Amino acid sequence: MTVARNIPNLEIVNGLDVGGLESLINRAKADPTAAITKWQVTSSWEGQAHIHAKVDSFSMGGKSSKRGFSIDIDEPPELLGADDHANPQDHLLAALNACMMIDYVAQCSIRRIKLESLEIETRGEIDLRGFLGVDPAVRAGYENIDYIVRVKGDGTPEQFAEVHEAVMATSPNFYNLTKPVTLRPKLIVE
């Protein structure tokens, strides 16, 4: 942040460099291959319900970079875990919220709307009879996910409604949860 303040004519809105955001948009328009991103995470079972995930790499436009993040996952005791970490559903809803929030910030910033606060509350219900294989007629996952966006800033209600529609149209994780995504499984037995 200190460096950004020393660059003349740098326009920062909601902590984002608007010129950098516009440049990213223009590069994606000019060269679709520059907009292709690839993500890789490797997860391993650590015993009981503990899963350790390593965020391995990210690439954009063919340029790859190693990443060194890790995520630990567990289950509450009611689901036979030790409750030492958030569970997969916590991560799924948090990832949905975070992806949409990043999009809200970007959409507001490109429109020069200054945010004061932004919060997304997400709720869902899963009937474990589907997951446990008790009743094949019961879905193994969510039937619905409800969320509430609370936003405050210098935009008009109409501008925030426009941003809200844009987020629902462009957020990758909103898309991933609302549209069919092809999973291509491969099993290797060692």
Side-chain angles (χ1 to χ4, degrees), residues 138-159:
V138 174
R139 294 171 69 118
Y142 295 108
E143 179 84 28
N144 300 294
I145 294 175
D146 298 312
Y147 70 97
I148 299 168
V149 179
R150 293 178 182 88
V151 63
K152 183 177 181 183
D154 68 2
T156 65
E158 294 78 16
Q159 288 174 310

mmCIF file of all heavy atoms in Angstrom, residues 138-159:
data_model
loop_
_atom_site.group_PDB
_atom_site.id
_atom_site.type_symbol
_atom_site.label_atom_id
_atom_site.label_comp_id
_atom_site.label_asym_id
_atom_site.label_seq_id
_atom_site.Cartn_x
_atom_site.Cartn_y
_atom_site.Cartn_z
ATOM 1 N N VAL A 138 -33.214 -38.713 -1.667
ATOM 2 C CA VAL A 138 -32.781 -37.471 -1.012
ATOM 3 C C VAL A 138 -31.466 -37.015 -1.647
ATOM 4 O O VAL A 138 -30.533 -37.813 -1.807
ATOM 5 C CB VAL A 138 -32.604 -37.692 0.516
ATOM 6 C CG1 VAL A 138 -32.027 -36.463 1.177
ATOM 7 C CG2 VAL A 138 -33.941 -38.073 1.146
ATOM 8 N N ARG A 139 -31.412 -35.748 -1.979
ATOM 9 C CA ARG A 139 -30.189 -35.178 -2.569
ATOM 10 C C ARG A 139 -29.015 -35.307 -1.597
ATOM 11 O O ARG A 139 -29.184 -35.130 -0.400
ATOM 12 C CB ARG A 139 -30.386 -33.699 -2.883
ATOM 13 C CG ARG A 139 -31.408 -33.417 -3.955
ATOM 14 C CD ARG A 139 -31.684 -31.923 -4.042
ATOM 15 N NE ARG A 139 -30.536 -31.207 -4.565
ATOM 16 C CZ ARG A 139 -30.533 -30.505 -5.699
ATOM 17 N NH1 ARG A 139 -31.640 -30.422 -6.398
ATOM 18 N NH2 ARG A 139 -29.465 -29.884 -6.100
ATOM 19 N N ALA A 140 -27.843 -35.552 -2.135
ATOM 20 C CA ALA A 140 -26.643 -35.656 -1.298
ATOM 21 C C ALA A 140 -26.111 -34.279 -0.909
ATOM 22 O O ALA A 140 -25.270 -34.169 -0.026
ATOM 23 C CB ALA A 140 -25.557 -36.444 -2.026
ATOM 24 N N GLY A 141 -26.588 -33.244 -1.566
ATOM 25 C CA GLY A 141 -26.106 -31.884 -1.293
ATOM 26 C C GLY A 141 -27.242 -30.920 -1.063
ATOM 27 O O GLY A 141 -28.356 -31.297 -0.716
ATOM 28 N N TYR A 142 -26.927 -29.657 -1.275
ATOM 29 C CA TYR A 142 -27.899 -28.587 -1.037
ATOM 30 C C TYR A 142 -29.031 -28.617 -2.057
ATOM 31 O O TYR A 142 -28.810 -28.854 -3.236
ATOM 32 C CB TYR A 142 -27.229 -27.214 -1.139
ATOM 33 C CG TYR A 142 -26.205 -26.962 -0.071
ATOM 34 C CD1 TYR A 142 -24.846 -26.957 -0.369
ATOM 35 C CD2 TYR A 142 -26.590 -26.706 1.233
ATOM 36 C CE1 TYR A 142 -23.896 -26.707 0.607
ATOM 37 C CE2 TYR A 142 -25.656 -26.464 2.221
ATOM 38 C CZ TYR A 142 -24.305 -26.464 1.899
ATOM 39 O OH TYR A 142 -23.384 -26.232 2.872
ATOM 40 N N GLU A 143 -30.220 -28.340 -1.581
ATOM 41 C CA GLU A 143 -31.364 -28.080 -2.456
ATOM 42 C C GLU A 143 -31.345 -26.602 -2.840
ATOM 43 O O GLU A 143 -31.572 -26.238 -3.980
ATOM 44 C CB GLU A 143 -32.672 -28.422 -1.722
ATOM 45 C CG GLU A 143 -33.930 -28.180 -2.516
ATOM 46 C CD GLU A 143 -34.275 -29.346 -3.427
ATOM 47 O OE1 GLU A 143 -33.912 -30.479 -3.113
ATOM 48 O OE2 GLU A 143 -34.916 -29.083 -4.457
ATOM 49 N N ASN A 144 -31.052 -25.764 -1.844
ATOM 50 C CA ASN A 144 -30.978 -24.308 -2.027
ATOM 51 C C ASN A 144 -29.853 -23.761 -1.159
ATOM 52 O O ASN A 144 -29.568 -24.312 -0.098
ATOM 53 C CB ASN A 144 -32.271 -23.614 -1.565
ATOM 54 C CG ASN A 144 -33.483 -24.080 -2.327
ATOM 55 O OD1 ASN A 144 -33.595 -23.843 -3.504
ATOM 56 N ND2 ASN A 144 -34.374 -24.757 -1.632
ATOM 57 N N ILE A 145 -29.281 -22.674 -1.606
ATOM 58 C CA ILE A 145 -28.367 -21.892 -0.782
ATOM 59 C C ILE A 145 -28.918 -20.471 -0.791
ATOM 60 O O ILE A 145 -29.136 -19.889 -1.855
ATOM 61 C CB ILE A 145 -26.927 -21.917 -1.325
ATOM 62 C CG1 ILE A 145 -26.353 -23.334 -1.234
ATOM 63 C CG2 ILE A 145 -26.044 -20.934 -0.572
ATOM 64 C CD1 ILE A 145 -24.982 -23.497 -1.846
ATOM 65 N N ASP A 146 -29.188 -19.948 0.381
ATOM 66 C CA ASP A 146 -29.699 -18.589 0.514
ATOM 67 C C ASP A 146 -28.562 -17.679 0.949
ATOM 68 O O ASP A 146 -27.737 -18.073 1.775
ATOM 69 C CB ASP A 146 -30.821 -18.527 1.561
ATOM 70 C CG ASP A 146 -32.008 -19.384 1.172
ATOM 71 O OD1 ASP A 146 -32.455 -19.291 0.027
ATOM 72 O OD2 ASP A 146 -32.479 -20.149 2.035
ATOM 73 N N TYR A 147 -28.541 -16.476 0.396
ATOM 74 C CA TYR A 147 -27.539 -15.528 0.866
ATOM 75 C C TYR A 147 -28.094 -14.115 0.866
ATOM 76 O O TYR A 147 -28.980 -13.774 0.091
ATOM 77 C CB TYR A 147 -26.233 -15.629 0.078
ATOM 78 C CG TYR A 147 -26.265 -15.140 -1.347
ATOM 79 C CD1 TYR A 147 -25.834 -13.867 -1.681
ATOM 80 C CD2 TYR A 147 -26.689 -15.972 -2.372
ATOM 81 C CE1 TYR A 147 -25.834 -13.428 -2.991
ATOM 82 C CE2 TYR A 147 -26.693 -15.548 -3.689
ATOM 83 C CZ TYR A 147 -26.257 -14.265 -3.996
ATOM 84 O OH TYR A 147 -26.259 -13.835 -5.292
ATOM 85 N N ILE A 148 -27.553 -13.343 1.798
ATOM 86 C CA ILE A 148 -27.941 -11.941 1.955
ATOM 87 C C ILE A 148 -26.684 -11.102 1.789
ATOM 88 O O ILE A 148 -25.669 -11.369 2.434
ATOM 89 C CB ILE A 148 -28.553 -11.676 3.351
ATOM 90 C CG1 ILE A 148 -29.804 -12.512 3.565
ATOM 91 C CG2 ILE A 148 -28.847 -10.188 3.546
ATOM 92 C CD1 ILE A 148 -30.304 -12.517 5.011
ATOM 93 N N VAL A 149 -26.764 -10.105 0.936
ATOM 94 C CA VAL A 149 -25.664 -9.165 0.749
ATOM 95 C C VAL A 149 -26.037 -7.868 1.448
ATOM 96 O O VAL A 149 -27.107 -7.315 1.192
ATOM 97 C CB VAL A 149 -25.401 -8.885 -0.754
ATOM 98 C CG1 VAL A 149 -24.278 -7.880 -0.936
ATOM 99 C CG2 VAL A 149 -25.125 -10.177 -1.499
ATOM 100 N N ARG A 150 -25.162 -7.415 2.328
ATOM 101 C CA ARG A 150 -25.330 -6.116 2.980
ATOM 102 C C ARG A 150 -24.207 -5.224 2.487
ATOM 103 O O ARG A 150 -23.030 -5.533 2.697
ATOM 104 C CB ARG A 150 -25.274 -6.259 4.499
ATOM 105 C CG ARG A 150 -26.434 -7.025 5.085
ATOM 106 C CD ARG A 150 -26.295 -7.190 6.605
ATOM 107 N NE ARG A 150 -27.383 -7.959 7.136
ATOM 108 C CZ ARG A 150 -27.397 -9.300 7.231
ATOM 109 N NH1 ARG A 150 -26.358 -9.992 6.827
ATOM 110 N NH2 ARG A 150 -28.444 -9.932 7.726
ATOM 111 N N VAL A 151 -24.574 -4.147 1.820
ATOM 112 C CA VAL A 151 -23.566 -3.275 1.233
ATOM 113 C C VAL A 151 -23.866 -1.826 1.588
ATOM 114 O O VAL A 151 -25.035 -1.422 1.654
ATOM 115 C CB VAL A 151 -23.479 -3.478 -0.307
ATOM 116 C CG1 VAL A 151 -24.773 -3.099 -0.999
ATOM 117 C CG2 VAL A 151 -22.296 -2.743 -0.907
ATOM 118 N N LYS A 152 -22.812 -1.074 1.837
ATOM 119 C CA LYS A 152 -22.954 0.345 2.145
ATOM 120 C C LYS A 152 -21.820 1.082 1.452
ATOM 121 O O LYS A 152 -20.665 0.648 1.496
ATOM 122 C CB LYS A 152 -22.893 0.563 3.660
ATOM 123 C CG LYS A 152 -23.101 2.004 4.086
ATOM 124 C CD LYS A 152 -23.085 2.108 5.602
ATOM 125 C CE LYS A 152 -23.305 3.543 6.038
ATOM 126 N NZ LYS A 152 -23.213 3.675 7.504
ATOM 127 N N GLY A 153 -22.157 2.184 0.815
ATOM 128 C CA GLY A 153 -21.153 2.980 0.132
ATOM 129 C C GLY A 153 -21.797 4.188 -0.513
ATOM 130 O O GLY A 153 -22.961 4.492 -0.265
ATOM 131 N N ASP A 154 -21.040 4.849 -1.376
ATOM 132 C CA ASP A 154 -21.559 6.078 -1.973
ATOM 133 C C ASP A 154 -22.328 5.849 -3.274
ATOM 134 O O ASP A 154 -22.677 6.793 -3.963
ATOM 135 C CB ASP A 154 -20.443 7.109 -2.158
ATOM 136 C CG ASP A 154 -19.410 6.731 -3.197
ATOM 137 O OD1 ASP A 154 -19.542 5.672 -3.849
ATOM 138 O OD2 ASP A 154 -18.447 7.504 -3.363
ATOM 139 N N GLY A 155 -22.654 4.597 -3.596
ATOM 140 C CA GLY A 155 -23.461 4.313 -4.777
ATOM 141 C C GLY A 155 -24.946 4.472 -4.485
ATOM 142 O O GLY A 155 -25.372 4.422 -3.330
ATOM 143 N N THR A 156 -25.715 4.647 -5.534
ATOM 144 C CA THR A 156 -27.169 4.721 -5.404
ATOM 145 C C THR A 156 -27.733 3.300 -5.313
ATOM 146 O O THR A 156 -27.064 2.334 -5.696
ATOM 147 C CB THR A 156 -27.798 5.425 -6.621
ATOM 148 O OG1 THR A 156 -27.568 4.599 -7.780
ATOM 149 C CG2 THR A 156 -27.205 6.819 -6.841
ATOM 150 N N PRO A 157 -28.974 3.157 -4.835
ATOM 151 C CA PRO A 157 -29.591 1.823 -4.838
ATOM 152 C C PRO A 157 -29.605 1.201 -6.243
ATOM 153 O O PRO A 157 -29.398 -0.002 -6.388
ATOM 154 C CB PRO A 157 -31.011 2.079 -4.328
ATOM 155 C CG PRO A 157 -30.873 3.285 -3.441
ATOM 156 C CD PRO A 157 -29.836 4.138 -4.138
ATOM 157 N N GLU A 158 -29.804 2.023 -7.256
ATOM 158 C CA GLU A 158 -29.810 1.528 -8.635
ATOM 159 C C GLU A 158 -28.427 1.022 -9.034
ATOM 160 O O GLU A 158 -28.299 -0.014 -9.708
ATOM 161 C CB GLU A 158 -30.283 2.621 -9.604
ATOM 162 C CG GLU A 158 -31.724 3.044 -9.427
ATOM 163 C CD GLU A 158 -31.956 4.001 -8.244
ATOM 164 O OE1 GLU A 158 -30.976 4.597 -7.716
ATOM 165 O OE2 GLU A 158 -33.123 4.133 -7.822
ATOM 166 N N GLN A 159 -27.377 1.753 -8.643
ATOM 167 C CA GLN A 159 -26.016 1.316 -8.965
ATOM 168 C C GLN A 159 -25.682 0.010 -8.260
ATOM 169 O O GLN A 159 -25.083 -0.888 -8.859
ATOM 170 C CB GLN A 159 -24.998 2.395 -8.579
ATOM 171 C CG GLN A 159 -25.017 3.603 -9.490
ATOM 172 C CD GLN A 159 -24.096 4.697 -8.972
ATOM 173 O OE1 GLN A 159 -24.164 5.072 -7.798
ATOM 174 N NE2 GLN A 159 -23.249 5.200 -9.848
#
